[in-house]
Amino acid sequence: MNKHSKMMLTGNKAAAWGVRLAQVDYVPAFPITPQTEIVETLAQWFSDGTLTGKYTNMDSEHSMFMAAGAAAATGVRVFTASSSQGILHGMEALYTIAGWRVPLVMVNVSRALATPITLEPDHNDVMSTRDCGMVQLHAETCQEVLDFILIGHRIAEHPQVALPVLVNMDGFYLSFTREPVVLPEPSEVARFLPPYKSEQPVFKASQPMARASAVFGGATYSYFKIQQDLAVRQAETVFHEVSEEFAQYFGRNYGPVENFMMDDAEFVFVMSNSFATKGKAAVLELRKQGIKAGLLKLRLIRPFPTQAIADSLLGHHKVAVIDQNLSPGMGGILFPEIVTSLYSRINRPEKFLSVIGGLGGKDILKEDFFSIVEHLRSDKSEGPLFLYNDDDLKQFKKVSHIALAEKGGSES
Amino acid sequence: MIKTHKRVSDLHPEEIITPGTGLCAGCGGLEGLRLALKELGKDVVICNAAGCFTLLSVYPFTPLQGSWLYTTMGGPVPAAQGIRDALDVQLKKGKLPSQENLQVLVVAGDGSSNDIGLGPTSAALHRKLDFIYFCYDNEAYGNTGFQLSAASPFGSSTQTSPSTHEHPAGAEKMKKNLFDIWKAQDPTYIATVSPREPIDLSNKFAKAKTMSGPRMFICMSPCPTGWGFDPKDAHVIAKLAVDTGIFPIKEYFEGKVVHTKRPRKRLPVEKFLERQKRFSHLFYPERCEDVISQIQKNVDDYWSHFE
Ligand SMILES: Cc1ncc(C[n+]2csc(CCOP(=O)(O)OP(=O)(O)O)c2C)c(N)n1
Ligand code: SF4
């Protein structure tokens, strides 16, 4: 492989390549669509000797995350992947291993949650892990997926962080979309991310330790939780350091947020993950029509990059936060986070609009962005705006008609 | 059987669990684990499920000379898998000298073992995980106040299977047969042990220590708090469980089940039942003859296969 070899890779394959380049020692796995291609690829590579170490087929995500965390506590470099229902099934284990303060990287390939059951993406799965105490990096492109796995291991293994890092990508829109991906030279990766040697105490005979002991009393419990909070916050500083180093090695420079045509933007869309690409295309369209739009993409979701968001949004007038998730009875999950992070700042935007779209993989259309601008222009204050138009309703009515038709009922 | 000990004075003098834990006085399971660890030694990492024994390690104290990882109620076995795999990877890659290797030990209650953790355990048996499982069987969810588990015996009352006019027996289902469930998955070794039979217990651990693959111990664990008896009588209760034949002491190895301690003449079950509060409804205000004789019949039926 030469220095800048490029391959057409799906997001899943890019993730597998990230794991391969990171020389991961251990992968416990359990299948779920749309992440299966990641673990299938890794199973092949561990099986044929391309990767040295161990791949173990587990019996559930709860088991998988426990095995991943326990292996990390024993001193090997660990990767695993899941999605959607798998994340929910493993939730207890995710809280547990994040509390163990062990480094590992996992990919979540976003997929909407039951019920109703579906295969298509949105972000409720990954948002449900928001408060576990993990670091979260969200990828827009297949390249970001690969790069974030390398960066993720560096953050996870940093002695002041020592936490699981979750890399998120959208199911289908990224997991199965081929894009040109630059594969970093393995020897360069080995310098950026040397083979793993834990800087934490790990389970071995000469070093007996009790880990995750029970605590009595809120003072002790709170102390450990505050430590965890500090570690997650510290990950932002570490992210900056590691990103800079990454840029020196590989030429791609990642901040916690990305500003797209933000300088003079009057209307700002806040987005994350692959739909941000649609948002960027819409910004260009809007600009063609003389509407000064811009987009703020979030890469780091935990820790929440409050300062970077403030630096981007302060001074802009109208901001729409497009959440591809829904907390029923409240609205989008990122919206209050963005608003809160600017609440006490002067010069904050005068209008914030919460927009909910892309649920269950529903496309966000160019026209949707135009309509968001119209809503931002109006002085009415309004609750969450659902991107759901007459066409969508028509589509639903068509299927509901079939569902409700009586046995042997009329054809429409 | 490799007999390494003949009398109690032969047992290893070293204590791997030092005195001073938050567990109840007279806890039979703790005594079982103490004896077990004497055999297994220090180079052990315990993966623990939520339960009474989680209180063995309460920050900042640990009574253990070996290592400890608290997991979840359903997760100690997969955690054992992760540790075993990580040790193996490092041994294979030459990153860990063999003297740093650890024996991976799961410590879980009967609730965890029979219920929430059974699926993951079955999966680990299928994967032939190299580990030892120590199930302390107090026949209920002890740590949460003694509710029904799948190991609660027929005729026992628990907080969630009380004896009432409508349901005089209390627990109406038979205890799940964890020994046979394990056996069906062809493990390396299974044994039942009692803290009242320390030589038998110790020799079984000594034997299991020389093997690899999945190895299981079910330790009869008289529980003064939940069963309702005076802590000083724990050994009497443990002995009666064996002498009535209610708790058979046996092992499974290379396809054969062998009873390693047989009650010479089995005592009637009520000798065991009548001393515990959880069975008191079988005797007061009046004798529940049908329940008691059903319990006796179950015990007799069991032994009839081996007599
Ligand atoms: C998922 C989950 N559900 C419930 C609990 C609450 N819980 C803690 S200990 C325990 C009882 C465990 O019973 P058992 O495994 O028999 O062990 P024992 O308490 O008897 O030691 C329960 C239900 C828990 N920790 N986790
Ligand atoms: S409740 Fe029973 S099993 Fe639990 S520590 Fe006390 S005596 Fe032991």
Side-chain angles (χ1 to χ4, degrees):
Chain A
M1 209 189 330
N2 59 32
K3 228 178 171 133
H4 294 293
S5 72
K6 251 190 198 181
M7 273 166 91
M8 289 296 287
L9 294 178
T10 60
N12 282 342
K13 277 274 200 271
W17 268 98
V19 176
R20 175 168 164 171
L21 289 165
Q23 305 262 352
V24 163
D25 298 299
Y26 183 52
V27 176
F30 192 78
I32 182 166
T33 303
Q35 71 79 25
T36 44
E37 191 187 19
I38 302 177
V39 295
E40 286 168 5
T41 307
L42 293 174
Q44 175 67 35
W45 286 343
F46 276 105
S47 175
D48 67 17
T50 305
L51 277 169
T52 57
K54 196 157 194 277
Y55 174 99
T56 300
N57 288 304
M58 296 301 294
D59 46 288
S60 76
E61 290 80 0
H62 187 288
S63 294
M64 176 179 95
F65 291 135
M66 292 313 290
T74 314
V76 296
R77 185 172 283 156
V78 180
F79 173 85
T80 190
S82 192
S83 173
S84 188
Q85 302 299 112
I87 288 289
L88 292 197
H89 189 70
M91 183 63 75
E92 184 196 24
L94 286 178
Y95 264 87
T96 302
I97 67 171
W100 288 353
R101 300 287 309 275
V102 286
L104 58 99
V105 171
M106 71 184 75
V107 161
N108 180 59
V109 184
S110 267
R111 172 182 144 188
L113 298 173
T115 302
I117 188 81
T118 185
L119 295 176
E120 288 166 83
D122 65 36
H123 297 154
N124 265 91
D125 59 352
V126 67
M127 284 305 158
S128 75
T129 70
R130 185 187 65 165
D131 306 329
C132 289
M134 300 191 288
V135 176
Q136 286 199 17
L137 291 164
H138 288 220
E140 180 190 352
T141 63
C142 297
Q143 185 73 57
E144 285 189 347
V145 170
L146 187 152
D147 293 350
F148 287 178
I149 288 175
L150 303 179
I151 289 170
H153 278 291
R154 279 285 302 273
I155 297 173
E157 292 162 17
H158 193 285
Q160 285 169 9
V161 179
L163 285 171
V165 171
L166 183 152
V167 174
N168 194 65
M169 74 165 115
D170 283 324
F172 296 87
Y173 285 90
L174 215 54
S175 65
F176 297 124
T177 301
R178 270 170 218 277
E179 290 177 350
V181 175
V182 179
L183 284 182
E185 172 69 20
S187 60
E188 295 266 287
V189 175
R191 264 187 287 162
F192 171 74
L193 178 69
Y196 187 51
K197 201 179 166 307
S198 175
E199 298 195 34
Q200 311 283 338
V202 296
F203 290 122
K204 57 179 177 184
S206 62
Q207 200 173 62
M209 64 168 170
R211 200 151 189 161
S213 299
V215 297
F216 280 135
T220 308
Y221 180 82
S222 302
Y223 179 85
F224 283 115
K225 285 320 255 189
I226 293 164
Q227 284 296 315
Q228 201 179 358
D229 178 60
L230 288 172
V232 178
R233 287 175 193 274
Q234 182 63 20
E236 189 169 353
T237 312
V238 174
F239 175 77
H240 281 290
E241 285 166 21
V242 172
S243 275
E244 253 167 52
E245 207 183 309
F246 187 88
Q248 281 162 22
Y249 274 98
F250 307 109
R252 291 180 294 282
N253 201 345
Y254 296 115
V257 302
E258 179 188 334
N259 293 299
F260 184 79
M261 313 210 81
M262 282 290 286
D263 287 349
D264 60 343
E266 248 179 88
F267 304 98
V268 177
F269 307 120
V270 179
M271 297 184 78
S272 70
N273 292 280
S274 68
F275 278 41
T277 307
K278 296 167 183 291
K280 289 173 183 172
V283 165
L284 294 174
E285 283 288 327
L286 286 158
R287 290 254 169 189
K288 265 194 220 157
Q289 311 216 357
I291 299 166
K292 288 185 181 161
L295 185 138
L296 173 68
K297 183 183 84 173
L298 305 176
R299 285 202 183 98
L300 199 57
I301 301 257
R302 279 293 179 274
F304 202 61
T306 309
Q307 188 56 47
I309 290 166
D311 292 346
S312 301
L313 291 183
L314 293 183
H316 297 278
H317 295 308
K318 291 161 194 288
V319 172
V321 181
I322 304 178
D323 267 297
Q324 286 166 255
N325 59 68
L326 176 62
S327 174
M330 174 58 183
I333 295 169
L334 285 176
F335 178 74
E337 301 218 333
I338 297 279
V339 174
T340 310
S341 68
L342 300 180
Y343 183 73
S344 58
R345 316 247 179 174
I346 39 171
N347 209 12
R348 64 174 193 240
E350 69 209 29
K351 173 139 188 174
F352 285 105
L353 177 68
S354 170
V355 181
I356 290 157
L359 297 183
K362 199 176 95 61
D363 207 358
I364 300 183
L365 307 170
K366 199 168 62 190
E367 299 82 71
D368 290 327
F369 290 93
F370 279 82
S371 105
I372 293 168
V373 168
E374 287 317 308
H375 282 272
L376 282 175
R377 276 190 170 133
S378 106
D379 344 303
K380 267 194 297 179
S381 101
E382 47 190 335
L385 170 69
F386 283 87
L387 297 179
Y388 201 83
N389 59 27
D390 291 346
D391 242 17
D392 297 320
L393 193 60
K394 228 187 265 166
Q395 276 186 46
F396 172 74
K397 283 194 168 152
K398 211 165 130 191
V399 288
S400 90
H401 185 75
I402 299 169
L404 296 174
E406 283 171 38
K407 213 173 171 190
S410 62
E411 275 171 45
S412 55
Chain B
M1 178 150 180
I2 323 160
K3 285 265 182 205
T4 53
H5 308 299
K6 291 208 167 58
R7 54 188 89 81
V8 173
S9 57
D10 292 344
L11 300 184
H12 293 289
E14 197 182 12
E15 297 291 346
I16 307 299
I17 301 188
T18 54
T21 74
L23 272 55
C24 309
C27 176
L30 179 61
E31 177 63 1
L33 184 62
R34 183 181 78 89
L35 293 167
L37 286 174
K38 276 172 167 286
E39 289 306 315
L40 296 178
K42 278 197 221 177
D43 295 346
V44 162
V45 50
I46 291 177
C47 297
N48 169 247
C52 291
F53 282 34
T54 299
L55 300 181
L56 273 182
S57 183
V58 177
Y59 194 82
F61 302 112
T62 173
L64 292 164
Q65 306 217 33
S67 287
W68 171 265
L69 177 67
Y70 170 69
T71 63
T72 61
M73 198 177 161
V77 177
Q81 177 83 46
I83 294 179
R84 186 66 265 155
D85 285 345
L87 290 167
D88 287 345
V89 165
Q90 294 176 91
L91 289 166
K92 194 166 157 211
K93 289 190 174 181
K95 288 182 178 172
L96 194 77
S98 59
Q99 68 271 20
E100 290 284 12
N101 197 7
L102 293 168
Q103 182 86 245
V104 185
L105 178 68
V106 166
V107 171
D110 55 279
S112 169
S113 304
N114 284 279
D115 294 330
I116 192 168
L118 183 61
T121 303
S122 168
L125 283 166
H126 179 241
R127 291 189 295 260
K128 296 273 174 259
L129 175 63
D130 183 18
F131 79 126
I132 298 179
Y133 194 125
F134 179 87
C135 166
Y136 56 99
D137 187 0
N138 61 11
E139 305 193 314
Y141 295 125
N143 189 51
T144 38
F146 211 73
Q147 301 86 10
L148 183 87
S149 85
S152 301
F154 168 71
S156 66
S157 80
T158 71
Q159 293 297 99
T160 52
S161 64
S163 164
T164 58
H165 180 66
E166 297 287 313
H167 302 276
E172 292 173 325
K173 304 282 186 300
M174 298 298 168
K175 184 180 171 112
K176 206 192 254 190
N177 190 339
L178 191 59
F179 189 94
D180 279 5
I181 291 171
W182 265 70
K183 186 156 77 68
Q185 285 200 255
D186 192 29
T188 305
Y189 184 73
I190 322 172
T192 58
V193 291
S194 162
R196 191 58 176 73
E197 297 293 347
I199 305 295
D200 176 78
L201 182 154
S202 302
N203 286 330
K204 283 173 174 169
F205 272 94
K207 184 172 169 182
K209 196 184 173 183
T210 65
M211 304 170 186
S212 61
R215 288 151 286 165
M216 154 63 111
F217 288 86
I218 302 170
C219 181
M220 138 77 38
S221 303
C223 165
T225 328
W227 293 9
F229 62 83
D230 194 322
K232 74 174 164 29
D233 292 338
H235 66 290
V236 181
I237 301 288
K239 184 159 168 37
L240 285 170
V242 178
D243 291 349
T244 53
I246 279 186
F247 188 76
I249 303 276
K250 57 187 175 179
E251 68 180 3
Y252 166 85
F253 183 55
E254 291 182 338
K256 275 207 298 278
V257 176
V258 175
H259 288 90
T260 54
K261 281 275 161 193
R262 268 172 183 275
R264 218 161 274 151
K265 187 174 176 315
R266 277 185 281 117
L267 299 176
V269 290
E270 50 197 286
K271 292 272 176 240
F272 173 71
L273 306 177
E274 69 193 5
R275 300 188 70 134
Q276 302 168 55
K277 196 161 163 271
R278 64 175 172 154
F279 294 113
S280 60
H281 59 285
L282 304 182
F283 302 96
Y284 310 101
E286 57 195 48
R287 255 177 95 90
C288 276
E289 199 53 59
D290 51 342
V291 176
I292 296 170
S293 58
Q294 185 61 49
I295 295 172
Q296 185 65 60
K297 183 175 180 309
N298 294 343
V299 173
D300 294 344
D301 284 352
Y302 173 87
W303 286 100
S304 70
H305 297 295
F306 304 102
E307 282 162 356

